[in-house]
Amino acid sequence: MATENRKLHIAMLPWLAFGHILPYLELAKHIALKGHKISFISTPRNIDRLPKLPSHISPFIRFVKIPLQPVENLPKDAEATTDLPYDKVQYLKIAYDAMRDSIHHFLQTNKPDWIFFDFAAYWAGPIATELNISSAFFSIMIAAVLGFLGPAPVLISGYGTLDEPEVLTASPKWVNFPTTVAFRLYEVLRMKDSFTGNMSEASDIYRFGAGIKSCDVLLIRSCSEFEPEWLHLVEEIHQKLVFPVGQLSPLTIDNCDDESNGAWTGGSIKQWLDSQEKGSVIYVAFGSEAKPSQEELTEIAHGLELSGLPFFWVLRKQRGEFDTDLNELPKGFEQRTKDRGVVCMGWAPQLKILSHDSVGGFLTHSGWSSVVEAISYEKALILLPFLADQGLNARLLEEKKMAYSIPRDEREGTFTRDSVANSLSLVMLEEGGKVYRENAKNMRELFADKRKQEKYVENLMKYLQKHREIQKENGDTTHSKES
């Protein structure tokens, strides 16, 4: 049988955050379309919350439910970062690490050809090596983020536990081309525990380094047309094959999701958007993890009010039911803006909202899934990053004139209602913001072209098939995982 015709079995192990789980699932769907088998591993509650698979894909994707062990300080039924306030996520990592024996048993019993694992599962690479299974570190973060963060030894050292946070606010020595991609000081200070560690056994940055070091190949959610110099740099600093897997724009707008369809047609969302002028509405949402402070929320609300623009705001007042620090809107805000704005306190169908003609711009945390979805529907971007890779994403988008960031204090990260209102008006209405509106349209083909996406997956699968055949011919003794 020709190598390229042999169907593979791939296990996927994303971190317990929907910003990670959903891109993994999107890649799984693209691979399943080629007839390959996927074992998608997560916890029961997370799997139950996933959108329903299209019928022509579902036979190829098996969901593997591995329950979390009870962990002190981790509330029962909290299985994803969206269920928890930020300070409790460290306990979710402890529970995740405790899954490794179950993962080992699954891999040993089912013997997939490959495992794709996420940063948090840094222990998956060594398990795969022991069991003669090929492994790929699949980064849902773009190449600019991995390139900026640097080589595995630097990651494993945690930048010397980050005694000088300012080191991350400038382009590092291994980046050999001019760029503005770097953290702001407030971004580093807000996530210092990612570098210095927490209650779990390893810091986030250590996990990245150890995971990349132990894998056979590195997969990145990106495309070579978008950030070629960063993809080349990542390959250079890690001395591993790097495969961009495309931007993973969602295959379908509704994902066969009954909840999405019900909220859209049964509720008033579509009806309200239908009543607005084309391109006039600013959509506001900060993803499943980012939660503005009360002070930030107040300034965002007043900024929306001052802008005079119609808006649809998906507001999370808390991170899951165990978050006791509830945010509140300014007194009288909803009453004062009821004629031109909607505040949605629950879940909302983001793809359908972004696809609507009345939406012209998106005020977002710059999580990459949200960026991809916005550009896929030609929506101008106004950025307000909060955590993790979001600041680096924002810098790259600013550099490419694809988005405008709300001005903030460099150390504290504070911003004003006036800066929110002025930023929204600039990008949505003014001549000075025309470049952002036009680039949102110009980049659509790159982010949402299905043929380009298919080509990336085809190239990846050819390599995975060939690599696995060579491994089998050599008795699975050719793993070379040191960077």
Side-chain angles (χ1 to χ4, degrees):
M1 183 184 289
T3 297
E4 60 267 24
N5 292 330
R6 196 178 83 79
K7 300 306 180 188
L8 296 176
H9 175 198
I10 299 170
M12 288 195 178
L13 182 60
W15 164 232
L16 305 178
F18 282 95
H20 291 243
I21 293 169
L22 292 174
Y24 266 73
L25 184 60
E26 209 58 47
L27 180 58
K29 290 192 284 189
H30 282 284
I31 292 173
L33 280 172
K34 309 287 182 194
H36 301 281
K37 178 184 170 187
I38 306 289
S39 290
F40 196 92
I41 305 168
S42 194
T43 65
R45 188 162 178 244
N46 288 341
I47 286 172
D48 290 344
R49 286 184 281 186
L50 290 174
K52 189 178 170 188
L53 292 174
S55 58
H56 62 293
I57 290 175
S58 58
F60 299 97
I61 299 178
R62 173 172 64 133
F63 290 110
V64 179
K65 296 181 176 182
I66 296 182
L68 293 178
Q69 300 300 313
V71 167
E72 190 178 357
N73 295 316
L74 180 67
K76 189 175 180 292
D77 295 331
E79 297 184 10
T81 55
T82 191
D83 301 325
L84 293 161
Y86 184 79
D87 65 333
K88 295 279 188 189
V89 172
Q90 57 187 324
Y91 303 110
L92 188 63
K93 290 192 177 87
I94 295 172
Y96 188 71
D97 291 334
M99 290 172 67
R100 86 181 84 194
D101 287 345
S102 299
I103 302 296
H104 187 287
H105 177 74
F106 173 82
L107 295 175
Q108 189 172 38
T109 306
N110 289 269
K111 283 286 185 188
D113 298 294
W114 282 85
I115 180 169
F116 293 2
F117 65 92
D118 209 338
F119 85 98
Y122 69 102
W123 33 261
I127 292 173
T129 302
E130 177 198 333
L131 298 174
N132 294 324
I133 294 166
S134 298
S135 69
F137 182 108
F138 171 33
S139 170
I140 60 111
M141 298 177 183
I142 60 175
V145 174
L146 294 190
F148 177 87
L149 291 175
V154 174
L155 298 169
I156 288 169
S157 77
Y159 294 83
T161 65
L162 209 63
D163 294 328
E164 297 177 13
E166 289 80 4
V167 74
L168 290 169
T169 63
S171 190
K173 61 186 178 184
W174 51 81
V175 177
N176 52 12
F177 49 85
T179 179
T180 57
V181 172
F183 285 111
R184 300 283 183 259
L185 184 56
Y186 73 86
E187 291 166 345
V188 182
L189 295 174
R190 287 182 178 194
M191 59 172 192
K192 201 173 177 188
D193 65 307
S194 295
F195 296 88
T196 58
N198 48 49
M199 292 297 291
S200 74
E201 64 188 45
S203 69
D204 291 352
I205 211 74
Y206 178 92
R207 291 170 190 268
F208 266 98
I212 291 171
K213 186 178 180 181
S214 69
C215 70
D216 288 313
V217 63
L218 190 50
L219 314 182
I220 300 180
R221 183 187 190 177
S222 186
C223 55
S224 53
E225 300 95 332
F226 179 66
E227 47 173 357
E229 70 279 39
W230 286 106
L231 284 161
H232 179 69
L233 176 68
V234 172
E235 197 160 54
E236 208 172 68
I237 63 178
H238 291 298
Q239 291 295 295
K240 287 184 186 284
L241 270 178
V242 171
F243 280 88
V245 300
Q247 295 292 358
L248 301 175
S249 181
L251 274 173
T252 54
I253 194 166
D254 60 6
N255 290 321
C256 305
D257 190 343
D258 294 334
E259 182 183 5
S260 169
N261 292 332
W264 182 249
T265 55
S268 57
I269 298 175
K270 183 178 184 299
Q271 184 181 346
W272 185 84
L273 289 172
D274 285 346
S275 71
Q276 305 301 311
E277 290 182 24
K278 183 176 180 179
S280 67
V281 176
I282 180 79
Y283 173 55
V284 185
F286 302 116
S288 60
E289 291 196 53
K291 178 193 168 191
S293 68
Q294 180 61 63
E295 183 185 355
E296 289 168 338
L297 180 74
T298 299
E299 294 306 303
I300 292 165
H302 284 304
L304 285 168
E305 189 173 351
L306 283 170
S307 75
L309 292 163
F311 63 87
F312 190 97
W313 186 0
V314 180
L315 174 61
R316 295 188 74 214
K317 297 178 79 170
Q318 60 187 127
R319 275 183 56 149
E321 62 184 288
F322 308 106
D323 184 358
T324 55
D325 186 17
L326 269 64
N327 284 340
E328 298 295 340
L329 286 165
K331 192 173 181 181
F333 170 78
E334 287 180 276
Q335 181 65 27
R336 292 192 301 272
T337 59
K338 66 179 182 181
D339 293 335
R340 61 177 176 87
V342 172
V343 179
C344 174
M345 300 289 189
W347 180 89
Q350 179 159 295
L351 275 179
K352 290 188 171 179
I353 293 168
L354 286 171
S355 70
H356 199 281
D357 283 346
S358 71
V359 175
F362 185 12
L363 174 54
T364 171
H365 59 312
S366 61
W368 204 250
S369 289
S370 289
V371 169
V372 170
E373 290 168 7
I375 297 296
S376 296
Y377 293 107
E378 303 180 0
K379 307 307 179 189
L381 289 164
I382 306 96
L383 308 180
L384 193 62
F386 290 99
L387 7 113
D389 59 325
Q390 295 162 12
L392 297 181
N393 293 343
R395 302 303 104 72
L396 187 66
L397 293 166
E398 292 162 15
E399 191 173 275
K400 293 176 178 289
K401 299 289 186 192
M402 289 174 62
Y404 182 81
S405 287
I406 292 172
R408 299 168 84 160
D409 179 88
E410 289 284 317
R411 184 175 185 87
E412 303 299 328
T414 53
F415 54 90
T416 66
R417 60 196 66 182
D418 289 326
S419 65
V420 172
N422 294 339
S423 301
L424 295 176
S425 296
L426 171 73
V427 174
M428 293 288 284
L429 303 171
E430 295 169 21
E431 183 64 25
K434 189 177 179 183
V435 63
Y436 307 111
R437 298 191 293 273
E438 288 187 345
N439 281 340
K441 293 179 172 66
N442 295 340
M443 296 299 285
R444 182 189 182 278
E445 185 183 350
L446 186 57
F447 276 58
D449 186 290
K450 288 184 168 52
R451 285 169 300 181
K452 277 193 175 77
Q453 178 63 64
E454 199 170 304
K455 196 72 184 164
Y456 278 108
V457 175
E458 280 174 9
N459 289 341
L460 171 64
M461 298 316 297
K462 282 177 185 174
Y463 169 77
L464 297 182
Q465 289 168 312
K466 186 177 179 183
H467 177 91
R468 199 59 191 143
E469 287 301 320
I470 292 170
Q471 297 287 19
K472 288 188 177 297
E473 285 170 16
N474 288 287
D476 287 307
T477 61
T478 61
H479 277 45
S480 177
K481 298 196 174 190
E482 295 304 308
S483 55

